[in-house]
Amino acid sequence: AVYRPDRVILSDGKVAIVDYKFGEHRTIYERQLRRYADIWRRMGHADVSAYLWYVQTGEVMRIV
């Protein structure tokens, strides 16, 4: 399987993962972001956060 988040920001030892969504809220999206964060932690990054950005409404949800 290939895991490819829309955006990964590395800054000052921190990792922020952002995935853009254009539809309605779905639980599967949250699981997807948790998986991305887990992969980055297993690569040795301790400070990882992940966000869903619902572009049409401008809502940003922090998942982890």
Side-chain angles (χ1 to χ4, degrees):
V2 175
Y3 298 99
R4 189 174 300 146
D6 292 322
R7 171 100 19 170
V8 177
I9 303 162
L10 301 165
S11 179
D12 298 324
K14 297 177 183 180
V15 177
I17 302 164
V18 181
D19 218 45
Y20 311 122
K21 299 300 179 191
F22 294 89
E24 57 192 51
H25 293 241
R26 298 185 63 172
T27 305
I28 194 168
Y29 297 153
E30 295 178 29
R31 286 194 302 256
Q32 178 185 31
L33 268 284
R34 286 188 181 92
R35 184 175 298 127
Y36 293 157
D38 183 56
I39 290 168
W40 279 87
R41 283 191 197 97
R42 285 187 283 140
M43 291 189 320
H45 298 275
D47 194 346
V48 179
S49 55
Y51 303 87
L52 282 171
W53 178 6
Y54 289 93
V55 176
Q56 292 175 326
T57 63
E59 180 182 6
V60 177
M61 291 178 53
R62 182 174 178 154
I63 304 302
V64 290

